[in-house]
Amino acid sequence: MDKRPYDNKAWLLVLPVFLIVAISAIIPLMTVVNYSVQDVLGPFQRVFVGTEWFEQVLNDGRLHGAFLRQMVFSGCVLLIQIPLGIAVALTMPVKGWQSSLCLVLVALPLLIPWNVVGTIWQLYARPDIGLAGVAINSLGIPYNYTSSAFDAWLTVLIMDVWHWTPLVILLCYAGLRSIPEAFYQAAKIDGASAWAVFRYIQLPKMRRVLTIAILLRFMDSFMIYTEPFVLTGGGPGNATTFLSQFLAQIAVGQFDLGPAAAFSLIYFLVILLLSWIFYTYITHTDREDAR
Amino acid sequence: MSTAKGPALNPSTGKFRKRHIGLIVYFVFLLLPIYWLIAMSVRPNQ
């Protein structure tokens, strides 16, 4: 039996953290829960409506459209950014000033505020004065992100790839740098090909950082708001209206607090659930491989 | 010290390989919007 002295006063040291978490997270969350089951008619006039707002939101066709767009967008983001991040990290120099220069250049988009990223791409992709827009049109490919839904969607996707692939690159690069030299020497003795080195040494060693990269990119892309808002404002039509923008339209545009609160909770739970599924799947395969 | 043949983090620097072309293309994609915006912002009105 453990006979070490136990001092309950130690809980006092944790109390400030509990208070900060309660004020910054739990109280706002409970306020949203409160709004999601009430119809707020005035400052002191509220009616309990049960699950009415949840039913209304879940049967909203606009939400279904936004959810589908969001899923496709997040899927494309992962499909492009993860392989591209790995490929660039593999190609980057490992020693000398070239390595430092590459790291600084790669990190540049991460240092730019999100609304500035939207502004850069709004100008850069403009079909009349933007370098990319004019270049694409001069190749004979009709491109206009302000009028074509596909072009707008593609521009948002490329902008996200531009902005966030550096994060994946930096994570993969850190993972690659942590591989001991002995692994490469053993592979050389065995006469392993470049592909075998990648498949059996580098990729398994990068698995943990890739897990973090996939989770971060999925959650971030699922909550994307600022960049498409600045670039397209959700248009043309609803082509680039993702879930967070749809939420902002309900909460701030229409000021429907009840449905917005219900939607916030559903949104939160969906992200939590999908992230948990991703994490469980990846850590499960990790354990299977370790056996 | 050289590593196994072909691993990406091969520190055999100095040699220009095919894969570096990909890296250069990526950096062009990365830096062109920033360069273009800066160039446009310092250009005087005509």
Side-chain angles (χ1 to χ4, degrees):
Chain A
M1 193 177 162
D2 193 357
K3 300 223 171 164
R4 279 179 295 181
Y6 188 83
D7 190 357
N8 271 321
K9 284 179 194 159
W11 285 105
L12 289 173
L13 297 172
V14 196
L15 199 61
V17 177
F18 276 133
L19 283 173
I20 290 168
V21 171
I23 292 166
S24 66
I26 297 172
I27 294 173
L29 184 66
M30 291 320 293
T31 310
V32 173
V33 173
N34 201 19
Y35 278 168
S36 71
V37 290
Q38 292 184 12
D39 191 0
V40 182
L41 303 170
F44 302 104
Q45 287 179 299
R46 294 174 183 199
V47 181
F48 181 76
V49 292
T51 57
E52 190 182 318
W53 297 134
F54 288 91
E55 287 165 24
Q56 184 183 317
V57 165
L58 286 172
N59 291 319
D60 192 336
R62 292 175 304 163
L63 171 76
H64 300 160
F67 184 73
L68 186 68
R69 276 191 292 277
Q70 188 72 72
M71 287 300 284
V72 176
F73 179 75
S74 293
C76 290
V77 159
L78 289 182
L79 281 176
I80 296 171
Q81 292 185 7
I82 301 298
L84 183 63
I86 295 171
V88 174
L90 286 168
T91 322
M92 275 168 58
V94 69
K95 281 182 182 172
W97 61 269
Q98 300 99 322
S99 159
S100 309
L101 180 69
C102 281
L103 285 173
V104 170
L105 292 180
V106 161
L108 272 180
L110 297 174
L111 305 175
I112 301 173
W114 296 0
N115 52 348
V116 178
V117 170
T119 309
I120 289 176
W121 280 85
Q122 191 193 37
L123 295 171
Y124 187 61
R126 270 180 67 154
D128 51 351
I129 58 162
L131 184 64
V134 170
I136 293 168
N137 279 306
S138 65
L139 292 172
I141 304 165
Y143 168 82
N144 189 344
Y145 73 86
T146 55
S147 60
S148 161
F150 178 74
D151 292 349
W153 202 87
L154 200 65
T155 311
V156 173
L157 183 64
I158 293 171
M159 177 179 63
D160 197 80
V161 168
W162 181 85
H163 193 190
W164 289 111
T165 306
L167 178 73
V168 183
I169 294 171
L170 293 179
L171 285 169
C172 290
Y173 189 75
L176 286 169
R177 288 297 296 269
S178 69
I179 301 173
E181 187 70 19
F183 282 80
Y184 292 121
Q185 287 169 356
K188 190 181 182 184
I189 291 165
D190 289 344
S193 65
W195 169 249
V197 170
F198 172 70
R199 172 69 186 82
Y200 298 107
I201 296 177
Q202 292 170 323
L203 198 57
K205 288 284 173 192
M206 276 196 295
R207 178 162 274 168
R208 285 180 196 284
V209 287
L210 280 177
T211 306
I212 296 167
I214 290 170
L215 274 174
L216 281 178
R217 284 315 305 130
F218 173 75
M219 287 189 290
D220 266 357
S221 65
F222 213 80
M223 295 185 285
I224 189 169
Y225 177 77
T226 313
E227 296 104 316
F229 179 73
V230 175
L231 181 70
T232 60
N238 281 327
T240 53
T241 303
F242 297 112
L243 284 174
S244 55
Q245 201 165 337
F246 180 61
L247 173 63
Q249 280 176 8
I250 302 174
V252 186
Q254 303 166 13
F255 217 67
D256 286 336
L257 295 181
F263 179 48
S264 298
L265 287 177
I266 294 166
Y267 195 7
F268 169 61
L269 290 175
V270 167
I271 293 175
L272 203 65
L273 180 72
L274 291 174
S275 301
W276 179 76
I277 290 169
F278 262 124
Y279 182 77
T280 311
Y281 174 73
I282 294 168
T283 47
H284 178 72
T285 25
D286 202 12
R287 275 199 296 272
E288 289 284 314
D289 286 358
R291 279 179 194 167
Chain B
M1 189 193 293
S2 69
T3 57
K5 186 191 171 193
L9 282 183
N10 189 342
S12 56
T13 51
K15 282 185 185 175
F16 189 80
R17 291 160 187 265
K18 266 188 209 167
R19 63 172 184 240
H20 289 132
I21 297 170
L23 191 64
I24 291 166
V25 170
Y26 177 72
F27 276 126
V28 169
F29 165 69
L30 207 66
L31 299 176
L32 199 58
I34 301 172
Y35 167 76
W36 180 79
L37 198 76
I38 294 169
M40 288 287 283
S41 67
V42 296
R43 208 166 68 173
N45 288 329
Q46 290 174 349

